[in-house]
Amino acid sequence: MKVEFYGHVRQYHNIKSEIDHNIKAVLESGQYVMGPMLKQLEGELAAYHGTKFAVGVGNGTDAIWLALMALGVGPGDEVITHANTFFATAEAIWIAGATAVLVDCDPVTKCIDPAKIEAAITPKTKAIIPVHLYGQCADMKAIRKIADQHKLFVIEDNAQAIGASGNGFKVAELSDVTCTSFIIQKNLGTFGDSGALVTNHAHVDATVRKLRNHGSNARNVHSYGFNSRLDDLHAGILSAKLKHIDAWNDLRRKWAVRYTAGLKAAQQFILPTELPGYRHVFHLYVIETKKAEQRDALVKYLVDNGVDAKTHYSIAIHKQGGYPWGRGARTVGSLANAEWNAATCVSLPMFPELTEAEVDYVIAKTLEWDKAQH
Ligand SMILES: Cc1ncc(COP(=O)(O)O)c(C=O)c1O
């Protein structure tokens, strides 16, 4: 059997008529950039997140640095995030011209460890970017509290957790801006690149609307800006898919329960933990090998047996070659948990359209490898 890592085509086939309908509507409208479909999607995204505003942009990375820029964070400022996020979180801080301050992650959730944030705060600190890594929310209550004490902005990097919630809080409820990516493989993904931010701050909404469109919100009238727009064809695809996101996340959660039940007797792995009261939306189902030297062997065994396993992310940001490329960067304290995560992580196939037979095959092959280590 072969088990793919992604199910993009299956998903397309399952809701083909809805996607095709919206693509046709855009094509027939004659308006492909900043048209009515983008407006519709922005309204739907704001309603979904319970925010006043949503702005579509070119990709999730742009959403983060445009948010920083709109909040006035730039050269001379420091922004705190954690070392084991996807590279783009730090990249966005650098694009905004700020210094990326990397702290350790929580050993259980792999999200930023709030206890590590305080020691990283200096008079230059302007913002914290928690990442809801793998689909589970960071501890937003603790992070908001620290931010309020030190008068810092909070920008949620929600590229991986649309539809998630924490114990007593929802995504976008405790931050200034929440950024998301709609690249193909995300829980809500289009057939290409795009992203968005949601916020309750009118000035962030207005500023990003201008920045994304050559500093313009009226024909021929410009200020400093960029081109980072969410095209209407993608908006149409996303609008069709947004109606299914909660059901798709439920399916991801179902497969996660099945993986965990099937793998709990294994001896060589640490399985993902869903915190009490949280809704983890399992963008990724990431196990860790108990020994770092086992990781590559496990991935190879799975791939050799038809299971497309991957690693997210096997090189922490501060360990990338050439880091930090002349950009402002500093690490604070031990990053041992982030480095451990990088050394031992293995992502098993996870997408809503998996079948029971596929999940059971992945479990069987993973257990087979586990047993061979005894
Ligand atoms: C945590 C995280 N942040 C930011 C991004 C950047 O999004 P994009 O690829 O749309 O620029 C991604 C995904 O690619 C991500 O996973």
Side-chain angles (χ1 to χ4, degrees):
M1 185 185 261
K2 268 197 121 25
V3 186
E4 304 293 342
F5 197 76
Y6 301 119
H8 308 136
V9 180
R10 284 187 200 175
Q11 186 169 88
Y12 172 54
H13 289 163
N14 284 347
I15 60 159
K16 187 173 184 308
S17 61
E18 295 157 64
I19 290 176
D20 290 355
H21 175 273
N22 281 6
I23 289 177
K24 187 160 184 270
V26 174
L27 292 179
E28 294 289 352
S29 78
Q31 295 176 76
Y32 311 125
V33 177
M34 309 270 282
M37 193 58 93
L38 174 61
K39 198 161 186 240
Q40 179 186 315
L41 177 71
E42 288 177 338
E44 291 165 352
L45 286 172
Y48 185 79
H49 289 92
T51 55
K52 287 187 189 150
F53 310 105
V55 191
V57 295
N59 55 68
T61 312
D62 287 5
I64 300 170
W65 64 257
L66 284 163
L68 287 166
M69 214 173 263
L71 291 168
V73 180
D77 298 330
E78 294 185 350
V79 179
I80 299 170
T81 190
H82 61 124
N84 57 312
T85 175
F86 178 59
F87 190 75
T89 316
E91 190 179 42
I93 297 169
W94 288 316
I95 293 171
T99 292
V101 179
L102 304 174
V103 300
D104 209 359
C105 66
D106 177 273
V108 174
T109 65
K110 321 302 171 191
C111 294
I112 194 167
D113 182 349
K116 303 288 162 56
I117 294 175
E118 205 109 23
I121 295 173
T122 72
K124 292 181 176 174
T125 309
K126 289 285 163 13
I128 306 167
I129 306 187
V131 184
H132 303 322
L133 201 70
Y134 303 153
Q136 179 158 243
C137 288
D139 184 350
M140 288 300 297
K141 284 185 185 167
I143 293 163
R144 185 74 253 178
K145 205 166 158 197
I146 296 166
D148 286 345
Q149 276 162 3
H150 297 270
K151 298 198 174 7
L152 306 176
F153 296 118
V154 180
I155 299 173
E156 290 171 76
D157 180 342
N158 194 35
Q160 302 191 359
I162 191 163
S165 54
N167 191 359
F169 66 89
K170 290 196 306 188
V171 163
E173 200 178 331
L174 298 177
S175 63
D176 296 281
V177 188
T178 297
C179 300
T180 194
S181 163
F182 301 127
I183 193 169
I184 316 158
Q185 69 271 19
K186 296 304 190 223
N187 290 30
L188 178 62
T190 184
F191 304 117
D193 275 307
S194 59
L197 56 83
V198 297
T199 182
N200 286 318
H201 294 308
H203 72 274
V204 171
D205 174 67
T207 307
V208 175
R209 270 175 202 287
K210 276 179 81 174
L211 285 174
R212 74 170 175 185
N213 187 37
H214 306 291
S216 174
N217 53 18
R219 194 170 169 76
N220 291 327
V221 182
H222 296 270
S223 55
Y224 180 71
F226 309 87
N227 179 351
S228 181
R229 298 174 299 219
L230 193 168
D231 298 338
D232 279 51
L233 278 171
H234 290 307
I237 292 159
L238 291 164
S239 174
K241 287 190 171 193
L242 182 60
K243 296 178 181 60
H244 299 274
I245 190 63
D246 291 340
W248 287 338
N249 281 341
D250 286 344
L251 282 169
R252 287 173 181 271
R253 290 171 55 73
K254 176 178 134 181
W255 299 133
V257 167
R258 198 173 182 93
Y259 272 140
T260 299
L263 294 173
K264 70 172 187 292
Q267 293 181 18
Q268 309 298 329
F269 314 127
I270 299 159
L271 304 181
T273 303
E274 181 180 52
L275 296 179
Y278 279 59
R279 175 174 163 84
H280 191 325
V281 294
F282 289 95
H283 173 57
L284 295 165
Y285 186 91
V286 179
I287 64 174
E288 289 179 335
T289 53
K290 285 192 178 159
K291 294 182 198 140
E293 62 270 22
Q294 294 176 319
R295 195 269 303 284
D296 291 350
L298 171 61
V299 173
K300 184 173 182 320
Y301 186 82
L302 291 174
V303 170
D304 287 349
N305 282 278
V307 174
D308 189 13
K310 297 188 185 299
T311 58
H312 296 80
Y313 300 96
S314 52
I315 309 175
I317 291 166
H318 63 293
K319 295 286 188 186
Q320 294 286 347
Y323 164 91
W325 310 276
R327 307 282 149 177
R330 98 191 149 75
T331 59
V332 179
S334 158
L335 300 181
N337 295 330
E339 287 164 12
W340 175 256
N341 178 235
T344 61
C345 61
V346 177
S347 309
L348 301 180
M350 172 53 82
F351 54 91
E353 298 76 15
L354 280 165
T355 65
E356 281 185 7
E358 287 171 332
V359 173
D360 290 348
Y361 180 76
V362 177
I363 293 169
K365 289 293 151 193
T366 310
L367 287 178
E368 208 171 270
W369 184 87
D370 178 75
K371 222 169 177 184
Q373 312 310 306
H374 299 173

